[in-house]
Amino acid sequence: MHPTSHRFEENAHRALNDERLQRALTGATGRFVSHRAHAVSERPDFEALREQGRAIKQEALDRLPQLLEEFEEQVVARGGRVHWARDAEEANQHVLRIAKNENVRVIVKSKSMATEEIHLNDALKEGGLEVVETDLGEYILQLDDDYPSHIIAPAVHKTKEQVAEIFERELHETNPPGAGIPGLNAIARRSLRSKFLVADMGISGANFAVAQTGNIVIVENEGNAALCTSLPRIHVAVVGIEKIVPRFDDLQVLLKLLGRSATGQRLTSYTNFLTGVAGEGEEGPQQFHVILLDNGRSRIYDDDVLYGSLRCIRCGACLNACPVYKKAGGHSYGWVYAGPIGAIITPQYLGLEQAPALPYASSLCGACFEVCPVKIEIPHMLLELRNQVVEGSTQASRLPAKRPILEALSFKLFSLAARMPGLWNFATRLGRWALRAKACGGQVPNVELPMLKNWTRDRDLAAPAQQSFREQWAARRGDAQP
Ligand code: SF4
């Protein structure tokens, strides 16, 4: 996929006019939000858990170099191998080399955002290998030549009718009338089962990598990751370096947070703890390779403010809570990571000049921070990135001056008025008078002023009160009018 993050506004407009997409988004994000709320309400100690989760991930970041080496030692001690990848190219080359050396032909894959990030499937296909996604959502997207729009529900933008069309077109299988989603599942299962049996290599990501034991941990609901990592003779895990946690016991906290925050489950249906290669008489892979992926993470690590975004455990809760994501959908963000966390990390990975609109794709309402299980200060980071956009557009033209002239002028006038009480009072009285004169039934319809036109086209604007708060306050205290 070619990133289109620089066209966020255009992408979002298209999404807003897509009724099918709007229905799919409203249904899915609404379900995620209510399931999460229910699961969280069962744990009166959820705030304490969040604090513990934040502390564990923070400790992992603070000790990252040492923990990565410890992880490597433990993987090697259990018969595995660790490959270090500075960028996407190196990571893909590692996987291709292993595949070539071992005469691999067919690869099954479980869901992994890290492999999306490095476009591993394209590299494998170019290398002449057959690669099949086995997570249902990812499989649908692979058949439709599409890419994920949500961290944990990659095909959230597709309705079941669209999926039925894709299966009919690509697999020549028709979902029987009345079979609904179970019928679609059955079609996918039939098609995928044979691939698991012939695959030479399974590729996965990881939710956590434990330094103390060399485990990688994968949570899932479909069982496909368990099959991908146990049936083929070779298992390759592509793991971002920020997935490291110090101790096995830390998983007690992180797994409780992840399931509840992601899907509203106490635990997902399967939690896979994978350790090294199969021993004598055991079933499982004969080779276990971990690709430790940097690909821009070290750059984030060096940033005093954005550093904390590496605590992310990719639960997706901030996407479901975000009023912008809920309407714009994941593809508007134009790359692999969407929503509030995508708005922070995409500009880091692609370069801020490739995604200058993303830090503005937020109302800064703080809902993302409220639900984040590891307390990432998302609004604060978005403000920092906005600052970098402005700095970049005014200094040495690193970034194009993206803010419209009218908007820049409005803020200049606002800044002037805010420093001159007389001008402020005059302007706000005038504005109040004009809006009240246009109001009808307590609402101001379609204001034809440039800054308000777009706002009032789709929303009600309540008519302002006759007196401002300051006037009412002064009247109550018996002060002179401001
Ligand atoms: S930023 Fe927080 S809420 Fe968003 S995906 Fe990451 S861990 Fe989840």
Side-chain angles (χ1 to χ4, degrees):
M1 71 175 278
H2 291 294
T4 61
S5 305
H6 57 291
R7 294 206 300 263
F8 175 80
E9 288 168 24
E10 195 185 318
N11 296 343
H13 274 292
R14 203 172 319 115
L16 286 171
N17 290 319
D18 183 338
E19 278 181 28
R20 215 145 65 150
L21 173 66
Q22 291 300 316
R23 266 204 316 279
L25 282 171
T26 306
T29 54
R31 274 193 302 280
F32 279 135
V33 167
S34 61
H35 290 171
R36 177 194 172 277
H38 179 72
V40 168
S41 71
E42 291 182 338
R43 299 268 336 188
D45 61 343
F46 197 72
E47 273 312 299
L49 272 178
R50 282 179 79 209
E51 194 46 56
Q52 288 175 39
R54 192 202 69 79
I56 290 167
K57 289 292 290 184
Q58 191 59 42
E59 182 198 343
L61 287 184
D62 293 345
R63 298 173 51 213
L64 192 58
Q66 172 204 337
L67 292 177
L68 284 167
E69 285 180 9
E70 189 181 337
F71 175 74
E72 181 178 24
E73 275 169 30
Q74 293 302 322
V75 170
V76 171
R78 287 159 178 76
R81 274 200 64 189
V82 170
H83 311 260
W84 300 79
R86 260 173 301 212
D87 54 22
E89 172 69 20
E90 272 192 16
N92 290 337
Q93 286 307 322
H94 282 313
V95 184
L96 278 166
R97 200 185 51 252
I98 298 165
K100 197 166 159 232
N101 289 346
E102 300 300 325
N103 293 321
V104 167
R105 289 170 303 108
V106 181
I107 298 172
V108 282
K109 243 185 106 245
S110 64
K111 196 179 96 53
S112 148
M113 296 307 284
T115 59
E116 293 287 342
E117 186 188 314
I118 60 175
H119 306 301
L120 178 61
N121 284 6
D122 293 339
L124 294 174
K125 264 196 282 179
E126 277 168 28
L129 295 156
E130 184 188 355
V131 53
V132 184
E133 293 286 353
T134 62
D135 171 88
L136 179 59
E138 290 283 357
Y139 184 51
I140 293 164
L141 298 181
Q142 187 180 33
L143 290 174
D144 203 30
D145 200 17
D146 198 352
Y147 66 97
S149 67
H150 191 289
I151 292 175
I152 61 158
V156 72
H157 55 288
K158 304 251 190 245
T159 59
K160 59 180 184 295
E161 292 77 19
Q162 285 172 300
V163 175
E165 283 165 24
I166 295 165
F167 283 180
E168 199 156 334
R169 189 183 71 230
E170 299 296 325
L171 301 177
H172 312 293
E173 288 241 35
T174 306
N175 199 23
I181 291 175
L184 295 171
N185 285 341
I187 294 174
R189 203 176 289 132
R190 272 197 300 279
S191 168
L192 288 173
R193 193 160 289 161
S194 58
K195 299 296 178 190
F196 284 120
L197 296 175
V198 297
D200 313 287
M201 177 188 275
I203 297 181
S204 72
N207 293 97
F208 305 105
V210 185
Q212 184 189 34
T213 54
N215 283 109
I216 65 163
V217 183
I218 304 173
V219 301
E220 55 155 342
N221 280 313
E222 297 174 20
N224 65 303
L227 295 177
C228 281
T229 56
S230 57
L231 284 179
R233 60 191 162 89
I234 304 165
H235 172 205
V236 177
V238 181
V239 182
I241 55 174
E242 83 285 11
K243 298 284 177 159
I244 289 283
V245 297
R247 296 159 293 265
F248 195 80
D249 279 357
D250 295 332
L251 297 172
Q252 281 189 58
V253 173
L254 295 169
L255 289 173
K256 280 177 194 148
L257 286 168
L258 181 54
R260 284 178 169 83
S261 303
T263 48
Q265 291 169 285
R266 292 174 187 156
L267 271 181
T268 46
S269 304
Y270 303 92
T271 303
N272 303 292
F273 298 90
L274 303 161
T275 321
V277 295
E280 188 81 27
E282 288 177 350
E283 290 181 353
Q286 293 143 29
Q287 290 188 27
F288 175 53
H289 298 265
V290 182
I291 316 283
L292 280 176
L293 178 70
D294 183 327
N295 204 30
R297 286 158 175 81
S298 298
R299 238 185 355 259
I300 303 178
Y301 194 76
D302 287 339
D303 188 300
D304 290 345
V305 177
L306 305 174
Y307 172 75
S309 64
L310 292 172
R311 293 203 303 270
C312 178
I313 58 171
R314 306 279 192 265
C315 70
C318 60
L319 281 68
N320 305 325
C322 176
V324 175
Y325 176 88
K326 283 197 256 194
K327 298 306 285 180
H331 285 176
S332 295
Y333 294 77
W335 198 54
V336 178
Y337 298 108
I341 188 64
I344 294 171
I345 60 181
T346 300
Q348 306 310 303
Y349 290 152
L350 298 183
L352 193 51
E353 66 285 356
Q354 292 298 320
L358 292 194
Y360 295 88
S362 166
S363 63
L364 298 181
C365 64
C368 46
F369 174 70
E370 295 292 319
V371 297
C372 179
V374 284
K375 298 185 131 182
I376 296 175
E377 302 84 356
I378 297 171
H380 178 58
M381 293 178 190
L382 290 171
L383 281 174
E384 165 61 19
L385 282 169
R386 288 182 190 190
N387 189 37
Q388 290 182 17
V389 171
V390 173
E391 292 284 309
S393 62
T394 51
Q395 289 171 13
S397 69
R398 184 166 63 87
L399 289 164
K402 282 284 177 193
R403 294 297 97 201
I405 292 173
L406 195 63
E407 186 180 316
L409 184 66
S410 304
F411 277 106
K412 281 218 158 44
L413 288 174
F414 173 83
S415 154
L416 185 70
R419 280 173 288 151
M420 300 173 71
L423 180 59
W424 177 265
N425 289 333
F426 173 73
T428 51
R429 268 195 206 124
L430 187 67
R432 225 170 37 243
W433 173 81
L435 289 173
R436 284 181 62 79
K438 201 171 163 35
C440 174
Q443 302 292 332
V444 188
N446 302 330
V447 182
E448 285 302 320
L449 284 173
M451 292 294 285
L452 287 176
K453 199 162 73 180
N454 288 345
W455 179 266
T456 55
R457 192 183 54 208
D458 301 316
R459 304 172 186 84
D460 293 332
L461 178 66
Q466 192 157 9
Q467 282 189 309
S468 70
F469 172 77
R470 297 183 70 211
E471 287 167 349
Q472 292 178 41
W473 183 251
R476 184 178 292 190
R477 286 167 44 115
D479 295 348
Q481 285 290 307

